[in-house]
Amino acid sequence: MNRTGQGARGAAPTGRARRLVGGLRTRLVVTFVVVALVSAVTATALAYREARTAVLQRTQNAAVNDLRERVTAVAADFDVPPDQQALARFAAKVSDGIGSRVVVVRYQDLVAVSDSLADTEGRITAELRAAVRAGGGARFQRVVWRGEPYLVVGMPVRYADGDHRTSGLEVFAITDLRAERDDTAALLDSVRAGVAPVVLLSAVLALLAAGTVLRPVRKLGRATRELAAGDLGSRVAVTGHDELADLARTFNESADALQASDAELREQEAKARRFVADVSHELRTPLAAMTMVATVLEEDADQLPPDAARAARTVGAETARLARLVEDLMEISRFDAKAVRLNATGTDLADTVRASLALRGWTDRVRTDLQEDVRAVVDRRRIDVIVANLVGNALRHGAPPITVTLGTALAADGEWVTLEVADRGPGLPPGARERVFDRFYKADEARTRGTADDSGQGSGLGTAIALENARLHGGTIDVADVADGPRRGAVFTLRLPLRRTEEDAE
């Protein structure tokens, strides 16, 4: 039992953790954070791309314009065809005028470099040389050489004769892009550093928004639980005009309708109880007179003709049955009205069972196995009613032998008294176990064999009254079918908590 309890307690945090993981608040926060993160990453990527494009475009335009203007100025005093020295001076002059970029000048097989130590072969591609040689104006290309970025601008030099013929002289300027790369990288780092604050801010805003959204949801959930627990007056305050306000308003309307329906049902039930109680009370006086008349007729039945004697005995039996029905109705009405009280005293249960059987003449018809000296604080009259109803039910619907067993049992929640009433009849029909304690329920006629009092059928209230009396003592009554080889039967088991008097406890 301890292991089971620990398992139940250990399951609670797991269920709570599952609610936290899959709760609406968590989902709202995660959704906010994911949207903010995706937005921030997207904005960062777009900003990086636009900044990088702008920086490279500015550098590219500046490089092309500077080279075009400088080449135009230097080429005005340059003679073609040049020799190697003239070509080198041309390259140096162009380089000096455009920020000391590395300049390469080519004329047919002659090549001059403004910086003799610079390696230019890997930076000026064949594709760019071909494009410049085609004479289409200034061309540029971004290349990566030895892991570093460069911008290479090339252009042909044309004659200034109005025909714009190419002179065969080609000029290339190599610009280092490492500064621009570092600038865009620094921009990316700064934007990336701003993502974390944005995500944190979005999480805070999500928590605030979730609190605003979930607060009325929690109130609605609390009111729903109170309503389910029986508090039909539970309502939710309606604020605003949004969907949650509509939901709260609908809940209140449903609760109002349920409360009105419950009040109407309670009123009808109270009226029905009063009606049964009043009718039963009004029938008691004429029934008393009828009982006396029926008793006189039964006493004189032997002196009457056979048909009249049979009729007199039938009237007596049915009058007695009607009187018992009225008494049962009065008793069940008192239970419904919560007007019953226990008159509990220390009682020897074995003696009580024997007295109940003897009072009704059942001692010879019932086998008993009663544990002696079982004393408990009970209402003796109500225990007698339980025994009479269960044993009478077994005699009425079962088959001999009828066995009554009294004993005690120790359970985790204390010591209990058990009283079993078993028969060897056909057992309960399918579906009867769930309804056997319902009021006025009668099982299949196959179980009816005659009655303890020879009156045919019972009132249909005996088992219901027995269960109410057991509950009044804090106990219950269980029913089961028993199969012992070819023999079957029904077993009703009364379970009562064993409460002892102080003298018995000592």
Side-chain angles (χ1 to χ4, degrees):
M1 294 299 290
N2 291 336
R3 289 194 296 270
T4 303
Q6 291 170 359
R9 288 191 295 269
T14 302
R16 191 178 303 113
R18 188 179 298 114
R19 288 194 297 272
L20 289 175
V21 171
L24 185 58
R25 176 190 293 273
T26 303
R27 283 182 283 172
L28 285 174
V29 172
V30 170
T31 301
F32 267 75
V33 171
V34 169
V35 170
L37 184 60
V38 171
S39 301
V41 170
T42 303
T44 299
L46 293 176
Y48 173 74
R49 188 187 68 177
E50 294 298 325
R52 181 174 178 272
T53 301
V55 170
L56 293 178
Q57 187 70 37
R58 184 178 66 248
T59 302
Q60 169 188 304
N61 292 340
V64 172
N65 292 334
D66 290 346
L67 181 62
R68 182 183 293 115
E69 292 174 0
R70 187 60 181 167
V71 168
T72 300
V74 174
D77 299 329
F78 187 73
D79 295 328
V80 178
D83 56 16
Q84 185 65 41
Q85 292 181 351
L87 202 62
R89 287 194 299 271
F90 185 85
K93 289 181 180 180
V94 173
S95 177
D96 292 340
I98 59 174
S100 299
R101 297 186 180 97
V102 177
V103 175
V104 179
V105 181
R106 303 175 65 93
Y107 184 80
Q108 296 180 0
D109 295 334
L110 298 178
V111 178
V113 182
S114 62
D115 185 354
S116 59
L117 299 179
D119 184 1
T120 61
E121 288 301 322
R123 288 180 277 186
I124 302 175
T125 64
E127 292 84 1
L128 181 59
R129 286 199 301 269
V132 172
R133 190 176 297 117
R139 295 287 186 268
F140 64 88
Q141 186 180 34
R142 288 192 292 271
V143 297
V144 177
W145 182 68
R146 296 179 180 177
E148 302 294 342
Y150 294 92
L151 174 67
V152 182
V153 180
M155 62 179 297
V157 178
R158 301 178 183 276
Y159 289 110
D161 56 0
D163 294 334
H164 298 291
R165 291 178 296 110
T166 58
S167 63
L169 189 65
E170 300 169 358
V171 182
F172 298 90
I174 302 174
T175 304
D176 192 346
L177 294 179
R178 284 178 290 183
E180 286 74 9
R181 180 197 61 187
D182 294 341
D183 290 342
T184 55
L187 176 62
L188 179 62
D189 291 339
S190 63
V191 174
R192 186 182 296 152
V195 171
V198 169
V199 172
L200 291 177
L201 179 61
S202 66
V204 173
L205 293 177
L207 287 173
L208 295 176
T212 303
V213 172
L214 295 180
R215 191 175 298 111
V217 174
R218 284 196 298 269
K219 292 180 179 178
L220 184 60
R222 183 166 54 251
T224 302
R225 288 189 294 271
E226 292 173 354
L227 192 66
D231 183 8
L232 300 183
S234 179
R235 297 294 184 272
V236 179
V238 179
T239 57
H241 303 281
D242 55 6
E243 290 79 0
L244 290 175
D246 292 339
L247 180 61
R249 192 175 297 108
T250 302
F251 171 82
N252 290 341
E253 292 173 355
S254 301
D256 290 339
L258 181 61
Q259 189 174 26
S261 177
D262 178 75
E264 183 179 356
L265 289 175
R266 289 178 183 274
E267 183 180 359
Q268 291 177 357
E269 185 178 5
K271 289 180 179 179
R273 290 172 181 170
R274 286 196 300 271
F275 174 78
V276 171
D278 293 344
V279 168
S280 301
H281 185 270
E282 293 298 325
L283 286 176
R284 295 183 73 177
T285 300
L287 273 175
M290 291 173 61
T291 300
M292 288 188 294
V293 173
T295 301
V296 172
L297 288 176
E298 283 188 287
E299 291 177 352
D300 297 336
D302 294 337
Q303 303 174 9
L304 298 175
D307 291 342
R310 189 179 306 109
R313 293 189 180 95
T314 302
V315 169
E318 291 302 321
T319 302
R321 179 171 176 268
L322 183 60
R324 284 195 300 274
L325 175 60
V326 171
E327 291 298 327
D328 287 347
L329 285 173
M330 293 290 292
E331 182 72 3
I332 208 74
S333 298
R334 284 191 287 270
F335 277 110
D336 289 340
K338 309 296 183 184
V340 293
R341 295 292 183 272
L342 276 178
N343 184 20
T345 58
T347 304
D348 187 310
L349 295 180
D351 289 344
T352 301
V353 173
R354 280 190 287 265
S356 180
L357 297 177
L359 179 64
R360 293 163 179 82
W362 294 341
T363 302
D364 296 335
R365 302 174 63 184
V366 176
R367 296 180 182 177
T368 59
D369 181 9
L370 308 177
Q371 179 178 333
E372 300 297 334
D373 298 327
V374 179
R375 294 185 61 82
V377 178
V378 296
D379 188 327
R380 184 185 179 99
R381 183 186 70 83
R382 297 189 183 279
I383 297 299
D384 173 74
V385 171
I386 295 175
V387 172
N389 279 310
L390 295 184
V391 174
N393 188 67
L395 291 170
R396 182 180 301 114
H397 299 292
I402 309 299
T403 304
V404 178
T405 305
L406 174 68
T408 59
L410 186 63
D413 51 353
E415 195 171 4
W416 291 73
V417 175
T418 60
L419 178 70
E420 291 185 356
V421 178
D423 66 70
R424 291 296 182 177
L428 294 170
R433 288 177 59 184
E434 292 76 14
R435 301 186 56 196
V436 71
F437 294 105
D438 292 350
R439 298 174 184 181
F440 295 107
Y441 174 74
K442 295 183 181 180
D444 193 275
E445 294 293 333
R447 265 186 61 85
T448 302
R449 294 176 40 85
T451 70
D453 52 13
D454 298 326
S455 60
Q457 294 282 336
S459 67
L461 293 172
T463 54
I465 292 174
L467 180 60
E468 292 291 347
N469 278 306
R471 288 174 175 171
L472 196 61
H473 284 83
T476 185
I477 300 177
D478 300 324
V479 61
D481 278 328
V482 177
D484 183 9
R487 307 185 67 180
R488 297 179 57 84
V491 178
F492 286 79
T493 304
L494 168 68
R495 302 180 189 276
L496 299 177
L498 182 55
R499 301 187 180 96
R500 302 180 185 272
T501 63
E502 294 182 0
E503 294 178 359
D504 295 332
E506 294 175 357

